[in-house]
C-alpha cells in the first residue's frame, strides 16, 4: 500500500502551464502503475496519463492531452509529476493521483484498476 499526496494545482490562463506533483509514501519499494486522473463537475473521472515505475519510458496518455501533457517519475523522491502545457479551459478539473502494483497495460485508464488514491488538487484554466 502507498499513500499519495498531490500538490501543484492552481489557477492559470489558457495557454499557460502547471506542474502537478504526487508524493508517495509507504511501500515505495514495489513497482507500481501510477496514473493521473481528472474529474470535472458532473463528469466521470477520466484517465490523463500513466507510467509503470519499473519501466518509466513506457507511458500512456489520454487522447485529449497527447502532445500537451507529460508524465514523469523521480525514483529518488518517490514522486510522480504531470507537466501540463498549452492548458485549455476544458482541462479544468480536480486532478487525482492513483497507484497500484500492476504493469499499466491497455486498461491503464480504468479507475477500477487502482486501489490507492490521493485527495486531489484543483486545476482551473480561464479563457
Amino acid at each position: 500500500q502507498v499513500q499519495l499526496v498531490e500538490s501543484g494545482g492552481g489557477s492559470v490562463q489558457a495557454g499557460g502551464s502547471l506542474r502537478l506533483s504526487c508524493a508517495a509514501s509507504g511501500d515505495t519499494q514495489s513497482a507500481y502503475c501510477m496514473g493521473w486522473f481528472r474529474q470535472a463537475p458532473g463528469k466521470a473521472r477520466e484517465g490523463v496519463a500513466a507510467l509503470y515505475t519499473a519501466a518509466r519510458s513506457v507511458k500512456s496518455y489520454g487522447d485529449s492531452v497527447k502532445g500537451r501533457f507529460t508524465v514523469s517519475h523521480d525514483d529518488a523522491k518517490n514522486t510522480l509529476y504531470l507537466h501540463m502545457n498549452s492548458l485549455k479551459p476544458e482541462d479544468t478539473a480536480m486532478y487525482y493521483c492513483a497507484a497500484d502494483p500492476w504493469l499499466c497495460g491497455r486498461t491503464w485508464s480504468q479507475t477500477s484498476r487502482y486501489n490507492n488514491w490521493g485527495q486531489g488538487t484543483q486545476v482551473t484554466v480561464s479563457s
Side-chain angles (χ1 to χ4, degrees), residues 21-102:
S21 300
C22 171
S25 60
D27 179 20
T28 57
Q29 298 304 308
S30 298
Y32 286 85
C33 177
M34 295 191 74
W36 287 101
F37 290 76
R38 66 186 182 186
Q39 188 167 20
K43 294 188 176 182
R45 193 169 296 191
E46 66 168 340
V48 175
L51 60 72
Y52 182 52
T53 58
R56 288 170 291 155
S57 62
V58 179
K59 303 176 182 180
S60 300
Y61 294 95
D63 289 341
S64 62
V65 306
K66 284 180 181 177
R68 300 188 299 122
F69 291 9
T70 302
V71 63
S72 63
H73 186 265
D74 186 326
D75 288 351
K77 296 182 178 180
N78 294 316
T79 299
L80 183 74
Y81 298 100
L82 184 67
H83 306 262
M84 305 186 294
N85 297 318
S86 302
L87 283 162
K88 305 175 181 179
E90 51 263 44
D91 294 318
T92 296
M94 184 72 79
Y95 283 70
Y96 298 90
C97 176
D100 217 69
W102 66 294

